[in-house]
Amino acid sequence: MALSVVYAAGTGHVVGALALTGASTLPDVASLVGPALPLRVSLGPGRTATLPLNARELGVAAADDEPGALADPLAYAVELTAEVVPKPKPTLLRLATWKDGLALATDGLTITVPVARSGLTKVVALISDEQDTHVLAGEIPAGDTEVKLPVTLAAASEHGVLVLVGGWAGRLEKAKVL
């Protein structure tokens, strides 16, 4: 049994993990997830938001076994190593968790991380909105902890939100516009 992970190419976040048996080669992303990988979050009784990650924005890798990646994939990221022959398996890094720092408003999503990084930090966010999904991308500047991603949302509405911030565990949750 070998651990394979599907990850967001832009940030390295693991968005799915599976243990393959008997596979001699790693399948491509599309054969694993189809055109998009749907992540789901409950919005309450009988309501679920689906946040589809486009297969073109994903990668697949065979990684060293990490049982935690099967239970909580968003807590890990793929660290691709330099080209070496033979090519080594990517390393899975455990990411720092953060609880607060997401503020959804009628004019955008503000993301605040607990600690500033020394370089640019890539950010990708998906927000459900009825039948649509808003896909937002940005960067937190070096030495800063915050970015606001513009999006127009209805006041007091509830949404499924997926936030991937480089170096921090991914967050998939329900958020209300304040």
Side-chain angles (χ1 to χ4, degrees):
M1 187 164 66
L3 179 67
S4 295
V5 296
V6 175
Y7 64 94
T11 63
H13 284 86
V14 174
V15 293
L18 60 148
L20 296 175
T21 56
S24 59
T25 61
L26 195 60
D28 67 346
V29 173
S31 67
L32 288 174
V33 303
L37 174 65
L39 298 181
R40 293 179 176 85
V41 60
S42 174
L43 297 179
R47 294 180 56 219
T48 301
T50 301
L51 300 162
L53 293 168
N54 192 310
R56 292 182 307 239
E57 305 296 324
L58 301 174
V60 64
D64 291 329
D65 285 343
E66 174 55 63
L70 291 168
D72 188 12
L74 290 173
Y76 293 86
V78 172
E79 180 181 68
L80 300 172
T81 56
E83 276 300 314
V84 179
V85 178
K87 187 175 181 180
K89 285 184 178 179
T91 301
L92 290 185
L93 302 175
R94 177 83 179 179
L95 298 169
T97 59
W98 51 304
K99 297 288 183 199
D100 298 318
L102 297 183
L104 200 54
T106 58
D107 65 346
L109 171 65
T110 301
I111 300 166
T112 307
V113 294
V115 179
R117 304 276 178 173
S118 59
L120 286 175
T121 303
K122 290 185 178 187
V123 176
V124 175
L126 278 70
I127 302 172
S128 69
D129 193 10
E130 298 297 325
Q131 300 300 323
D132 296 325
T133 300
H134 300 283
V135 179
L136 312 171
E139 296 175 332
I140 298 175
D144 203 349
T145 60
E146 187 174 283
V147 64
K148 183 169 185 174
L149 303 175
V151 64
T152 302
L153 300 168
S157 57
E158 290 184 329
H159 304 271
V161 177
L162 172 66
V163 177
L164 306 175
V165 179
W168 297 94
R171 295 189 39 196
L172 178 63
E173 58 195 63
K174 175 175 80 170
K176 187 172 184 175
V177 175
L178 301 176

